[in-house]
Amino acid sequence: MAVPIAVLDCDLLLYGRGHRTLDRFKLEDVTDEYLVSTYGFPRQFIYYLVDLLGASLSRPTQRSRAISPETQILAALGFYTSGSFQTRMGDAIGISQASMSRCVANVTEALVERASQFIHFPEDEAGVQSLKDDFYGLAGMPGVLGVVDCTHVAIKAPNAEDLSYVNRKGLHSLNCLMVCDARGVLLSAETHWPGSLPDCTVLQQAALTSQFETELHKDGWLLGDSSFLLQTWLMTPLHIPETPAEYRYNMAHSATHNVIERTFRTIRSRFRCLDGSKGTLQYSPEKSSHIILACCVLHNISLEHGLDVWSSPATGHMEQPEEEYEQMESMDSEACRIRQELLLTHFS
């Protein structure tokens, strides 16, 4: 006689109940080549994440079976770098697709909690001067503390069909405001802005603006493209350069600002969940924002570990909607004076 079987947790079927950690996969049993090809990162990097996040990922839960921090991190890295909850990814570490999703949520939360530890401007004078020196070495642009730009990441339509997330290309997205240094290290990342907001509006409302207007603008500036308004702490290109000095300024500005475009490409290449090749992020705007921020944290940690920002080839689709913007003209006379003084002092 056939016996009806209830739908059970796949992990329960495989491993049974018990107050134990499920260590399904051992890093020492596989090669570095396998780890890099499957999870995107080498062994020592993964061990570092286990040490960093282990306490957060071992929090007591109501479930009787705990998935080890190591397994949770592998599951999350597999998703971040492939953009997929494929069955083979779960099979490789011995967990179900549902457990893969829980692991991604847990690791994402743990990384977001540590965002301010890894994404920040230097606070000491030596660190600030190092930023300026590194940028000056690129194309001779003085006083630069960072380059700023926005990038869109496609998300599924919110349940409420909130039109605020529909960008100019008719796609649902988050508009993410980021700043990086000359090496591509992120100094600021605000990943929660609705895709309908133009870059200029995002910057006006961002915490970054408040930070620079109250703290950091006295000794330098950011570089932004023509989608932003010229500010005393934000140098933009000249709309119509006329003199040799203005052309030299624009060329140096463009060559320096290009660093953040390369950084965006590298992040999308390394974290395929963001590049659109597997479709949009299938989460709410809030959860999608956290996933993007978690990838930003991992990006900076990878640079700390010598995984060169420029080493990853560009792959996959770039679903970033290119912003179509009008040239912004500043009415800030003090900002215009500072840019003119910069032109006369360094580019004449």
Coordinates of all heavy atoms in Angstrom, one line a residue, residues 235-297:
M235 N 34.3 68.8 -8.1 CA 34.7 69.3 -9.4 C 34.1 68.5 -10.6 O 34.3 67.3 -10.6 CB 36.2 69.4 -9.5 CG 36.9 70.3 -8.5 SD 36.5 72.1 -8.8 CE 35.3 72.4 -7.5
T236 N 33.5 69.2 -11.5 CA 32.9 68.6 -12.7 C 33.6 69.1 -13.9 O 34.3 70.2 -13.9 CB 31.4 68.9 -12.8 OG1 31.2 70.4 -12.9 CG2 30.6 68.4 -11.6
P237 N 33.5 68.5 -15.1 CA 34.1 69.0 -16.3 C 33.4 70.3 -16.8 O 32.3 70.6 -16.4 CB 33.9 67.9 -17.3 CG 33.1 66.8 -16.6 CD 32.7 67.2 -15.3
L238 N 34.2 71.0 -17.6 CA 33.6 72.2 -18.2 C 32.7 71.7 -19.4 O 33.1 70.8 -20.2 CB 34.7 73.1 -18.7 CG 35.4 73.8 -17.6 CD1 36.9 73.8 -17.8 CD2 34.9 75.2 -17.4
H239 N 31.6 72.3 -19.5 CA 30.6 71.9 -20.6 C 31.2 72.2 -22.0 O 31.2 71.3 -22.8 CB 29.3 72.7 -20.4 CG 28.2 72.4 -21.4 ND1 28.2 71.1 -22.0 CD2 27.2 73.1 -21.9 CE1 27.1 71.1 -22.8 NE2 26.5 72.3 -22.8
I240 N 31.7 73.4 -22.2 CA 32.3 73.7 -23.5 C 33.6 74.3 -23.3 O 33.8 75.5 -23.1 CB 31.4 74.7 -24.3 CG1 29.9 74.1 -24.4 CG2 32.0 75.0 -25.7 CD1 29.0 75.1 -25.1
P241 N 34.7 73.5 -23.2 CA 36.0 74.0 -23.0 C 36.4 74.9 -24.2 O 36.2 74.6 -25.4 CB 36.9 72.8 -22.9 CG 36.2 71.7 -23.6 CD 34.7 72.0 -23.4
E242 N 37.1 76.0 -23.9 CA 37.5 76.9 -25.0 C 39.0 77.1 -25.0 O 39.6 77.2 -26.1 CB 36.8 78.2 -24.8 CG 35.3 78.1 -25.0 CD 34.5 79.4 -24.8 OE1 35.2 80.4 -24.3 OE2 33.3 79.5 -25.1
T243 N 39.7 77.2 -23.9 CA 41.1 77.5 -23.8 C 41.9 76.3 -23.7 O 41.4 75.2 -23.3 CB 41.4 78.5 -22.6 OG1 41.2 77.7 -21.4 CG2 40.5 79.7 -22.6
P244 N 43.2 76.3 -24.0 CA 44.1 75.1 -23.8 C 44.0 74.6 -22.4 O 44.0 73.4 -22.1 CB 45.5 75.6 -24.2 CG 45.2 76.7 -25.2 CD 43.9 77.4 -24.7
A245 N 44.0 75.6 -21.4 CA 43.9 75.2 -20.0 C 42.6 74.4 -19.7 O 42.7 73.4 -18.9 CB 44.0 76.4 -19.1
E246 N 41.5 74.9 -20.3 CA 40.3 74.2 -20.0 C 40.3 72.8 -20.7 O 39.7 71.8 -20.1 CB 39.1 75.0 -20.6 CG 38.9 76.3 -19.8 CD 37.8 77.2 -20.4 OE1 37.5 77.0 -21.6 OE2 37.4 78.1 -19.7
Y247 N 40.8 72.6 -21.8 CA 41.0 71.3 -22.4 C 41.8 70.4 -21.6 O 41.5 69.2 -21.4 CB 41.5 71.4 -23.9 CG 40.5 71.8 -24.9 CD1 40.4 73.0 -25.4 CD2 39.6 70.8 -25.4 CE1 39.4 73.4 -26.4 CE2 38.7 71.1 -26.3 CZ 38.6 72.3 -26.8 OH 37.6 72.7 -27.8
R248 N 43.0 70.9 -21.1 CA 43.8 70.1 -20.3 C 43.1 69.7 -19.0 O 43.3 68.5 -18.5 CB 45.1 70.9 -19.9 CG 46.1 70.9 -21.1 CD 47.5 71.5 -20.7 NE 47.4 72.9 -20.3 CZ 47.7 73.8 -21.2 NH1 48.0 73.5 -22.5 NH2 47.7 75.1 -20.8
Y249 N 42.4 70.6 -18.4 CA 41.6 70.3 -17.2 C 40.6 69.1 -17.5 O 40.5 68.2 -16.7 CB 40.9 71.5 -16.7 CG 39.8 71.2 -15.7 CD1 40.1 71.1 -14.3 CD2 38.5 71.0 -16.0 CE1 39.1 70.9 -13.4 CE2 37.5 70.8 -15.1 CZ 37.8 70.7 -13.8 OH 36.8 70.4 -12.8
N250 N 39.8 69.3 -18.6 CA 38.9 68.2 -18.9 C 39.5 66.9 -19.2 O 39.0 65.8 -18.8 CB 38.0 68.7 -20.1 CG 36.8 69.5 -19.7 OD1 36.7 69.9 -18.6 ND2 35.9 69.7 -20.6
M251 N 40.6 66.9 -19.8 CA 41.3 65.6 -20.1 C 41.8 65.0 -18.8 O 41.7 63.8 -18.6 CB 42.5 65.9 -21.1 CG 42.1 66.2 -22.5 SD 43.5 66.6 -23.6 CE 44.3 65.0 -23.6
A252 N 42.4 65.8 -17.9 CA 42.9 65.2 -16.7 C 41.7 64.7 -15.8 O 41.7 63.7 -15.2 CB 43.7 66.3 -15.9
H253 N 40.6 65.5 -15.9 CA 39.4 65.1 -15.1 C 38.8 63.8 -15.7 O 38.5 62.8 -14.9 CB 38.3 66.2 -15.3 CG 37.1 66.0 -14.5 ND1 36.2 65.0 -14.7 CD2 36.6 66.7 -13.4 CE1 35.2 65.1 -13.8 NE2 35.5 66.1 -13.0
S254 N 38.7 63.6 -17.0 CA 38.2 62.4 -17.6 C 39.1 61.2 -17.3 O 38.6 60.1 -16.9 CB 38.1 62.6 -19.1 OG 37.6 61.4 -19.7
A255 N 40.4 61.4 -17.4 CA 41.3 60.3 -17.1 C 41.3 59.8 -15.7 O 41.4 58.6 -15.4 CB 42.8 60.7 -17.5
T256 N 41.1 60.7 -14.8 CA 41.0 60.4 -13.4 C 39.7 59.8 -13.0 O 39.6 58.8 -12.3 CB 41.2 61.7 -12.5 OG1 42.5 62.3 -12.9 CG2 41.3 61.3 -11.0
H257 N 38.6 60.4 -13.5 CA 37.2 59.9 -13.2 C 37.0 58.5 -13.8 O 36.2 57.7 -13.3 CB 36.2 60.8 -13.8 CG 34.8 60.5 -13.3 ND1 33.9 59.7 -14.1 CD2 34.1 60.9 -12.2 CE1 32.8 59.6 -13.4 NE2 32.9 60.3 -12.3
N258 N 37.7 58.1 -14.8 CA 37.6 56.8 -15.4 C 37.8 55.6 -14.4 O 37.4 54.5 -14.7 CB 38.5 56.6 -16.6 CG 38.3 55.4 -17.4 OD1 37.2 55.1 -17.8 ND2 39.4 54.6 -17.6
V259 N 38.5 55.9 -13.3 CA 38.8 54.9 -12.4 C 37.5 54.2 -11.8 O 37.4 53.0 -11.7 CB 39.6 55.4 -11.2 CG1 39.7 54.4 -10.1 CG2 41.0 55.9 -11.6
I260 N 36.5 55.0 -11.6 CA 35.3 54.5 -11.1 C 34.5 53.6 -12.1 O 33.8 52.7 -11.7 CB 34.4 55.5 -10.4 CG1 33.4 54.8 -9.5 CG2 33.7 56.4 -11.4 CD1 32.7 55.7 -8.4
E261 N 34.6 54.0 -13.4 CA 34.0 53.2 -14.4 C 34.6 51.8 -14.4 O 33.9 50.8 -14.6 CB 34.1 53.9 -15.7 CG 33.4 55.2 -15.8 CD 31.9 55.2 -15.5 OE1 31.3 54.1 -15.8 OE2 31.3 56.1 -15.1
R262 N 35.9 51.8 -14.3 CA 36.6 50.5 -14.3 C 36.3 49.7 -13.1 O 36.2 48.5 -13.1 CB 38.1 50.7 -14.4 CG 38.6 51.4 -15.6 CD 40.1 51.8 -15.5 NE 41.0 50.6 -15.4 CZ 42.3 50.7 -15.1 NH1 42.8 51.9 -14.9 NH2 43.0 49.6 -15.1
T263 N 36.1 50.4 -12.0 CA 35.7 49.7 -10.7 C 34.3 49.1 -10.8 O 34.1 48.0 -10.4 CB 35.8 50.7 -9.5 OG1 37.1 51.3 -9.4 CG2 35.4 50.0 -8.2
F264 N 33.4 49.8 -11.4 CA 32.0 49.3 -11.6 C 32.1 48.0 -12.5 O 31.5 47.0 -12.2 CB 31.1 50.3 -12.3 CG 30.7 51.4 -11.5 CD1 30.3 52.6 -12.0 CD2 30.7 51.3 -10.1 CE1 29.8 53.7 -11.2 CE2 30.2 52.4 -9.3 CZ 29.8 53.6 -9.9
R265 N 32.9 48.1 -13.6 CA 33.0 46.9 -14.5 C 33.6 45.7 -13.7 O 33.2 44.6 -13.9 CB 33.9 47.2 -15.7 CG 33.2 48.2 -16.7 CD 33.9 48.2 -18.0 NE 35.3 48.7 -17.9 CZ 35.6 50.0 -18.1 NH1 34.7 50.9 -18.3 NH2 36.9 50.4 -18.0
T266 N 34.6 46.0 -12.9 CA 35.2 44.9 -12.1 C 34.3 44.3 -11.1 O 34.2 43.1 -11.0 CB 36.5 45.4 -11.4 OG1 37.4 45.9 -12.4 CG2 37.1 44.3 -10.6
I267 N 33.5 45.1 -10.4 CA 32.5 44.6 -9.4 C 31.5 43.7 -10.1 O 31.2 42.6 -9.7 CB 31.9 45.8 -8.7 CG1 32.9 46.4 -7.7 CG2 30.7 45.3 -7.8 CD1 32.4 47.7 -7.1
R268 N 31.0 44.2 -11.3 CA 30.0 43.4 -12.0 C 30.6 42.1 -12.5 O 29.9 41.1 -12.6 CB 29.4 44.2 -13.1 CG 28.6 45.4 -12.7 CD 28.1 46.2 -13.9 NE 27.2 47.3 -13.4 CZ 25.9 47.2 -13.3 NH1 25.4 46.0 -13.5 NH2 25.2 48.2 -12.8
S269 N 31.9 42.2 -12.9 CA 32.5 41.0 -13.4 C 32.7 39.9 -12.3 O 32.5 38.7 -12.5 CB 33.9 41.3 -14.1 OG 34.6 40.2 -14.4
R270 N 33.2 40.4 -11.2 CA 33.4 39.5 -10.0 C 32.2 39.0 -9.4 O 32.1 37.8 -9.0 CB 34.3 40.3 -9.0 CG 34.7 39.5 -7.8 CD 35.7 40.2 -7.0 NE 37.0 40.1 -7.5 CZ 38.0 41.0 -7.3 NH1 37.8 42.0 -6.6 NH2 39.2 40.8 -7.9
F271 N 31.1 39.8 -9.3 CA 29.9 39.5 -8.7 C 28.8 39.4 -9.7 O 28.1 40.4 -9.9 CB 29.6 40.4 -7.5 CG 30.7 40.5 -6.5 CD1 31.5 41.6 -6.4 CD2 30.9 39.4 -5.6 CE1 32.5 41.6 -5.5 CE2 31.9 39.5 -4.7 CZ 32.8 40.6 -4.6
R272 N 28.6 38.3 -10.3 CA 27.7 38.2 -11.5 C 26.3 38.3 -11.1 O 25.4 38.5 -12.0 CB 28.0 36.8 -12.1 CG 29.4 36.6 -12.7 CD 29.6 37.5 -13.9 NE 28.8 37.1 -15.0 CZ 29.0 36.1 -15.8 NH1 30.1 35.3 -15.7 NH2 28.2 35.8 -16.8
C273 N 25.9 38.2 -9.8 CA 24.5 38.5 -9.4 C 24.1 39.9 -9.7 O 22.9 40.2 -9.7 CB 24.4 38.1 -7.9 SG 25.2 39.3 -6.8
L274 N 25.1 40.8 -9.9 CA 24.8 42.2 -10.2 C 24.8 42.6 -11.7 O 24.4 43.6 -12.0 CB 25.8 43.1 -9.5 CG 26.0 42.9 -8.0 CD1 27.0 43.9 -7.4 CD2 24.7 42.9 -7.2
D275 N 25.3 41.7 -12.5 CA 25.6 42.1 -13.9 C 24.4 41.8 -14.9 O 24.5 42.2 -16.0 CB 26.9 41.5 -14.4 CG 26.7 40.0 -14.9 OD1 25.6 39.4 -14.7 OD2 27.7 39.4 -15.4
G276 N 23.3 41.2 -14.4 CA 22.2 41.0 -15.2 C 22.2 39.8 -16.1 O 21.2 39.5 -16.7
S277 N 23.3 39.0 -16.1 CA 23.4 37.9 -17.0 C 22.5 36.7 -16.6 O 22.1 35.9 -17.4 CB 24.8 37.4 -17.1 OG 25.3 36.9 -15.9
K278 N 22.1 36.7 -15.3 CA 21.2 35.7 -14.7 C 19.8 36.3 -14.5 O 19.0 35.7 -13.8 CB 21.8 35.1 -13.4 CG 23.1 34.5 -13.6 CD 23.1 33.2 -14.5 CE 24.4 32.5 -14.5 NZ 24.4 31.4 -15.4
G279 N 19.6 37.5 -15.0 CA 18.3 38.2 -14.8 C 18.5 39.2 -13.7 O 19.6 39.4 -13.2
T280 N 17.4 39.7 -13.2 CA 17.4 40.7 -12.2 C 17.5 40.1 -10.8 O 17.3 38.9 -10.7 CB 16.1 41.6 -12.2 OG1 15.0 40.7 -11.9 CG2 15.9 42.2 -13.6
L281 N 17.9 40.9 -9.8 CA 17.9 40.4 -8.4 C 16.5 40.1 -8.0 O 15.7 41.0 -8.1 CB 18.6 41.4 -7.5 CG 20.1 41.5 -7.5 CD1 20.6 42.6 -6.7 CD2 20.7 40.2 -7.1
Q282 N 16.2 38.9 -7.6 CA 14.8 38.5 -7.3 C 14.5 38.7 -5.9 O 14.1 37.8 -5.1 CB 14.6 37.0 -7.7 CG 14.8 36.8 -9.2 CD 13.7 37.5 -10.0 OE1 12.5 37.3 -9.8 NE2 14.2 38.3 -10.9
Y283 N 14.6 40.0 -5.4 CA 14.4 40.3 -4.0 C 13.7 41.7 -4.0 O 13.7 42.4 -5.0 CB 15.7 40.4 -3.2 CG 16.4 39.1 -3.2 CD1 17.4 38.7 -4.1 CD2 16.2 38.1 -2.1 CE1 18.1 37.5 -4.0 CE2 16.8 36.9 -2.1 CZ 17.8 36.6 -3.0 OH 18.5 35.4 -2.9
S284 N 13.2 42.0 -2.8 CA 12.7 43.3 -2.6 C 13.8 44.4 -2.7 O 15.0 44.0 -2.7 CB 12.1 43.4 -1.2 OG 13.1 43.3 -0.2
P285 N 13.4 45.6 -2.9 CA 14.4 46.7 -3.0 C 15.4 46.7 -1.8 O 16.6 46.8 -2.0 CB 13.6 48.0 -3.2 CG 12.4 47.5 -3.8 CD 12.1 46.2 -3.3
E286 N 14.8 46.5 -0.6 CA 15.7 46.5 0.6 C 16.7 45.4 0.6 O 17.9 45.6 0.8 CB 14.8 46.5 1.8 CG 15.6 46.5 3.1 CD 14.8 46.5 4.4 OE1 13.6 46.2 4.2 OE2 15.3 46.6 5.5
K287 N 16.2 44.2 0.3 CA 17.1 43.0 0.3 C 18.1 43.1 -0.9 O 19.3 42.7 -0.7 CB 16.3 41.7 0.2 CG 15.6 41.4 1.5 CD 14.8 40.1 1.4 CE 14.1 39.8 2.7 NZ 13.4 38.5 2.7
S288 N 17.7 43.6 -2.0 CA 18.6 43.8 -3.1 C 19.7 44.8 -2.8 O 20.8 44.6 -3.1 CB 17.8 44.2 -4.4 OG 16.9 43.3 -4.8
S289 N 19.3 45.9 -2.1 CA 20.2 46.9 -1.7 C 21.3 46.3 -0.8 O 22.5 46.6 -0.9 CB 19.5 48.0 -1.0 OG 20.4 48.9 -0.3
H290 N 20.9 45.4 0.1 CA 21.8 44.8 1.1 C 22.8 43.8 0.3 O 23.9 43.7 0.7 CB 21.0 44.0 2.1 CG 20.4 44.9 3.1 ND1 19.6 44.4 4.2 CD2 20.4 46.3 3.3 CE1 19.2 45.4 4.9 NE2 19.7 46.6 4.4
I291 N 22.3 43.1 -0.7 CA 23.1 42.2 -1.5 C 24.2 43.0 -2.2 O 25.4 42.7 -2.2 CB 22.3 41.4 -2.4 CG1 21.5 40.3 -1.7 CG2 23.2 40.7 -3.5 CD1 20.5 39.5 -2.5
I292 N 23.8 44.2 -2.8 CA 24.7 45.0 -3.5 C 25.8 45.5 -2.5 O 27.0 45.5 -2.8 CB 24.0 46.2 -4.2 CG1 23.0 45.7 -5.2 CG2 25.1 47.1 -4.8 CD1 22.0 46.8 -5.6
L293 N 25.4 46.0 -1.3 CA 26.3 46.5 -0.3 C 27.2 45.4 0.1 O 28.4 45.6 0.3 CB 25.6 47.1 0.8 CG 26.4 47.8 1.9 CD1 27.3 48.9 1.3 CD2 25.5 48.4 3.0
A294 N 26.7 44.2 0.3 CA 27.6 43.0 0.7 C 28.6 42.8 -0.3 O 29.8 42.5 0.0 CB 26.7 41.8 0.9
C295 N 28.3 42.8 -1.6 CA 29.3 42.7 -2.6 C 30.3 43.8 -2.6 O 31.5 43.5 -2.9 CB 28.6 42.6 -4.0 SG 27.6 41.1 -4.3
C296 N 29.9 45.0 -2.3 CA 30.9 46.1 -2.2 C 31.9 45.8 -1.0 O 33.0 46.1 -1.2 CB 30.1 47.4 -1.9 SG 29.1 48.0 -3.3
V297 N 31.4 45.3 0.1 CA 32.2 45.0 1.2 C 33.2 43.9 0.8 O 34.4 44.0 1.0 CB 31.4 44.5 2.4 CG1 32.3 44.0 3.5 CG2 30.5 45.6 3.0

